[in-house]
Structure formats: C-alpha cells, structure tokens
Amino acid sequence: MFQTFGLNHVGFLLQSTTWTLLLSAIALVGGAVGGALIALMRISGNRWVDGIARVYIYVLQGTPLLVTLFIVYFGIAGLGFDLPALAAAAIGFTLYSGAFLGEIWRGAVQSVGRGQWEGAFALGLGWWRTMQKIVVPQAVRVALPPTVGFCVQLVKNTALASIVGFIELTRAGQIVSSATFQPLQVYLCVAAIYFAICSTLAYASRRLEQRLATTPA
Amino acid sequence: MGYLDFSGILSRSDLFVHGALLTLILSASALVLGTMLGMVGAAMRRSRSRILSGIAMGYVELIRNTPFLVQIYIVYFGLPAVGLRISEMAAAVLSLTLYAGAYLTEIIRAGIDTVGKGQREAALALGLRPHQVFRHVVLVPALSAIYPALTSQFVLIMLASSVVSAISVPELTGVANDIQGQTFRSLEAYLVVAALYLGLTAVFKTAFGAVDRSLFTFRAAER
C-alpha cells in the first residue's frame, strides 16, 4: 500500500530542487535591485531618504521571515489578486534579501576611503561617474564574499516557502514523506541536498575572501 | 468594512500574550542550552584530538548548511520513526538548541581566539590544570568579549523560533496561525504578530545595548 523510499523519489526531490534554486535566483536578482536602491538611499546623505531605508531594514530584520512571507501572501490575496505561490514567495524573498544585501553593500561602498571620492572629484569626475568607475570596482572586492555567503542564507530560507504552499525541495520532502511513511530517510535526503548546495556556496565564499584579501589592489 | 479589520484579532489579545511568552521561553531556553552546547563544541573544536574537533566541525557545518525547518522535521518526524517519541514542545526546544548551539560554537570559538596563547601558557606554567585554564583564563574573559555577538544571537534565535509554528507549537506565529483559522482575518493576525516581534526585538536590542555600555565602562575602568 505504501511506497518505499527509492530512487524515483530521490529523482522527484532533485527535480524540486530546481524550484528551490529558481526561487533563490529570483530573490537574488530582485534583492540585488532592491539592495542597490537601499544602499544608495543609506549613503544619500539626505536624512529622510536615509531614514526610510533604515526603517525598512529595521522592520525586515526585526521580524521573522516566515511572518513577512505570510503578510505578503495574505496581503496580496486580500487585495483581490490571485497570485501563484511562486510569485508571492518571490516578492517576500525579494523584500527580505533587499534589506540584507542593502546593508552588506552599504558597508562595502563605505569601506572605500573618502580620499578616493575626493581624488575623483578633483579630477573632474561627477558623483555618478566616481561611483561607477572608482568606488564600485573597489567595493565589489569587499562585497563579493559576504554576498555569496548571504546566498547560503537565501537558499536555506527558501525552505520557508513550503509553508505558504510553494512546492520546492522541502515541500516535495513532505509529499514524499507522507507517501512513504519514512520521514527520517526522506528528510535526511532533503537535508543532504541542501547541504550539498549550501556548503559549496559557503566554500566559494571562503575562497573568494582569501583570494580577494591576498591579491594586491 | 475597510480592507483591514482588527476587532476580531484584538478581542483575542490574551492569546497573543501567551504566544509571546512562549516565544520568550523557547528563545531563552535555546540560548541557555545552546550556549552550554556551544561551550562543549568550542572546547572540542580546540582540542588536540582530531576526532573530537572533526565531530564538532561536522556538527557546525551540518547545522549551518541546512534549513532550520528541515532540521525541525528531522527531529519531530524523524526521531519517532526510529522509536523516539517526542512532543512538539520537546522537539521545538531540541531543534532550537541544536540550531543555536552550532552558531554559538563558532561565536564562543572566536571569543576564545581573542585570549592570547601567552596567557594560557602563563596559566599552565603557574600550575593550573588544563580544565582550570579553560574555565578561568579562557572561558570567562572570552564570554565577556563575545557579549555583543551573544545578545544579537538571542534576537536571531527569537526570530528563528517562529519556524517551530510549522509543527504547531503555539508560540507567537503559531497563535497567528490559529487565530487566522478562527477569524479569517489572516493579514491582520500576521501584522499584529509582526508588530509584536518588532517590539520584542527593539526592547531586547535596547536593553542589551544598555547592559553592554555599562559592561564596557566597567571593563574600561578595570584596565
């Protein structure tokens, strides 16, 4: 009557992993846009613009991601839109990663010394050109390792999308678990897949940190 | 009726208070138990035995590179499958402790690294036993050095504890799940809960910050 956990189930889990990766990728791209905006707002020097960005970060980092996801999910549903679970999850994760990437990138931009700005202005470059040609290329070296490290958080946290009904790796694990009644094997297999992805990313982050730290600027 | 209607939610405010209390109890016990686990883990990571440090490293890597939700499922659904019956609350505390313990192992290890090798050697030369050196020369100064990381970890644990609502533990997020089932005011329920988490975060950040500043003046006076 019950199926036994076997290779076809592992295949299903691996297939669902693509949805985990797709959701992570969407959240990363969306969060990159949002994060760049947040970082620019934070360094704008305008008290109000900076304040709005601060509040945004404080709220997103001070509430559980799961609650953010529920609010986005039910908030959109309450407005009368019938969005697919992927879209709701993508919006929630974009808001979340925007806050974290914004702070990482603000730190990276501010790590570039004041003298670099002054030098560029003295050479007649405008604010935008200075940012683009002088500051960002240097900030990227600082920002890259923690950004890749954040991807680990992102991939892990997409598991929460299963609670709002999006079928990704963890939700697939629940489905297989109730079909086979072998939760231990199934969830260990799910954990192993996450571990393979996340430990690779974590390793990449450490390697980048070492390489970017040792090569001369 | 407007878009938002909080009346049904606010009439159940006692449930939110209970949920918030349970969230605090869960987070505090995870912090205390996780710190103990983290001390053991950090001691193992630094031990000369490759097996002990390997086990501690494997534990940290496994916890840090898998989703907390999946860890909860392994504890709550997986352990009974091998004959270990476990209640939701026990599963919640156990998984939160295992989760917090991994991060705290790294925090405490970093704290220990701040204590110079010379101090340990001096203590050994004075005839202290290795476990005495660890407790008096390494652990206590290291704990005061990692206080900021420790307290921000408490807030992170508190936010992570929302995930145990997935195994129907009635903490703050679990309460919102129940109330939205009764009132169908889902958005309102989660907005209230989000505000409560935000309030708790703000209170703890402020309180920890105040304690931290008083500790720092104490340390500055000591020097």
Side-chain angles (χ1 to χ4, degrees):
Chain A
M1 180 175 135
F2 297 127
Q3 309 166 24
T4 317
F5 183 54
L7 271 182
N8 50 334
H9 294 114
V10 177
F12 175 58
L13 291 179
L14 287 173
Q15 223 178 343
S16 318
T17 308
T18 33
W19 291 104
T20 289
L21 293 176
L22 181 68
L23 179 57
S24 309
I26 294 174
L28 185 65
V29 173
V33 176
L37 191 66
I38 289 292
L40 282 176
M41 287 170 77
R42 288 282 277 115
I43 59 171
S44 67
N46 180 311
R47 210 147 58 92
W48 291 99
V49 173
D50 176 34
I52 292 169
R54 272 175 195 268
V55 169
Y56 176 80
I57 292 164
Y58 197 84
V59 170
L60 266 294
Q61 294 192 347
T63 49
L65 174 59
L66 182 57
V67 175
T68 308
L69 289 178
F70 277 131
I71 289 176
V72 169
Y73 186 74
F74 289 113
I76 292 174
L79 285 171
F81 296 104
D82 193 19
L83 275 188
L86 173 62
I91 294 172
F93 279 99
T94 296
L95 293 174
Y96 161 81
S97 53
F100 281 84
L101 290 176
E103 274 301 84
I104 294 174
W105 293 349
R106 175 192 61 86
V109 166
Q110 286 183 340
S111 77
V112 178
R114 190 83 231 129
Q116 300 283 324
W117 286 94
E118 282 161 3
F121 289 155
L123 289 172
L125 289 178
W127 188 91
W128 193 245
R129 297 277 294 171
T130 307
M131 190 62 152
Q132 201 187 336
K133 298 285 179 193
I134 312 288
V135 177
V136 168
Q138 297 180 72
V140 163
R141 300 166 53 87
V142 180
L144 206 51
T147 303
V148 176
F150 176 73
C151 293
V152 176
Q153 303 294 322
L154 201 53
V155 172
K156 283 198 301 182
N157 281 328
T158 56
L160 296 179
S162 66
I163 299 180
V164 291
F166 177 58
I167 301 182
E168 38 62 78
L169 178 51
T170 304
R171 187 77 189 92
Q174 287 179 316
I175 294 167
V176 173
S177 169
S178 36
T180 60
F181 272 79
Q182 291 171 293
L184 189 62
Q185 291 90 323
V186 174
Y187 288 123
L188 284 177
C189 182
V190 168
I193 297 174
Y194 277 112
F195 183 80
I197 300 168
C198 293
S199 56
T200 309
L201 284 171
Y203 175 75
S205 169
R206 278 196 298 271
R207 279 305 302 266
L208 276 172
E209 196 167 11
Q210 284 163 3
R211 284 190 55 161
L212 294 178
T214 46
T215 43
Chain B
M1 269 296 140
Y3 176 51
L4 293 173
D5 174 13
F6 287 98
S7 53
I9 305 292
L10 295 177
S11 67
R12 291 168 175 79
S13 52
D14 55 324
L15 291 179
F16 286 110
V17 174
H18 286 160
L21 279 178
L22 191 52
T23 288
L24 290 179
I25 293 170
L26 279 174
S27 321
S29 37
L31 183 75
V32 172
L33 296 172
T35 303
M36 292 180 192
L37 189 59
M39 284 181 200
V40 176
M44 282 170 73
R45 287 261 354 219
R46 298 193 60 87
S47 83
R48 249 181 252 124
S49 155
R50 292 182 67 131
I51 298 168
L52 284 182
S53 78
I55 291 172
M57 203 167 118
Y59 158 67
V60 170
E61 289 300 310
L62 279 178
I63 295 290
R64 291 210 304 186
N65 288 317
T66 53
F68 181 45
L69 181 61
V70 175
Q71 294 162 17
I72 296 174
Y73 286 160
I74 289 176
V75 169
Y76 184 62
F77 297 112
L79 288 187
V82 290
L84 278 165
R85 292 242 151 263
I86 186 167
S87 71
E88 292 98 52
M89 264 307 280
V93 173
L94 180 58
S95 47
L96 262 175
T97 300
L98 287 173
Y99 171 80
Y103 289 89
L104 288 163
T105 296
E106 286 300 281
I107 291 174
I108 294 172
R109 191 174 66 101
I112 292 173
D113 284 340
T114 64
V115 178
K117 200 171 177 222
Q119 293 192 41
R120 289 201 298 277
E121 284 167 352
L124 284 171
L126 288 171
L128 269 74
R129 322 235 92 233
H131 67 90
Q132 288 175 318
V133 174
F134 182 73
R135 182 167 155 8
H136 296 288
V137 180
V138 178
L139 191 60
V140 173
L143 275 181
S144 69
I146 60 172
Y147 175 84
L150 212 57
T151 52
S152 67
Q153 192 63 36
F154 176 78
V155 173
L156 292 178
I157 293 170
M158 190 178 78
L159 298 179
S161 75
S162 68
V163 181
V164 302
S165 63
I167 54 169
S168 52
V169 173
E171 44 67 76
L172 207 40
T173 309
V175 164
N177 292 346
D178 291 344
I179 288 181
Q180 65 120 345
Q182 294 163 15
T183 62
F184 299 108
R185 309 300 322 192
S186 318
L187 181 59
E188 289 86 339
Y190 290 111
L191 283 175
V192 168
V193 160
L196 288 173
Y197 275 112
L198 206 56
L200 288 175
T201 307
V203 166
F204 280 111
K205 273 190 182 165
T206 314
F208 288 143
V211 174
D212 192 33
R213 272 189 299 279
S214 64
L215 279 184
F216 270 130
T217 49
F218 166 68
R219 278 188 218 128
E222 203 180 32
R223 271 182 215 122

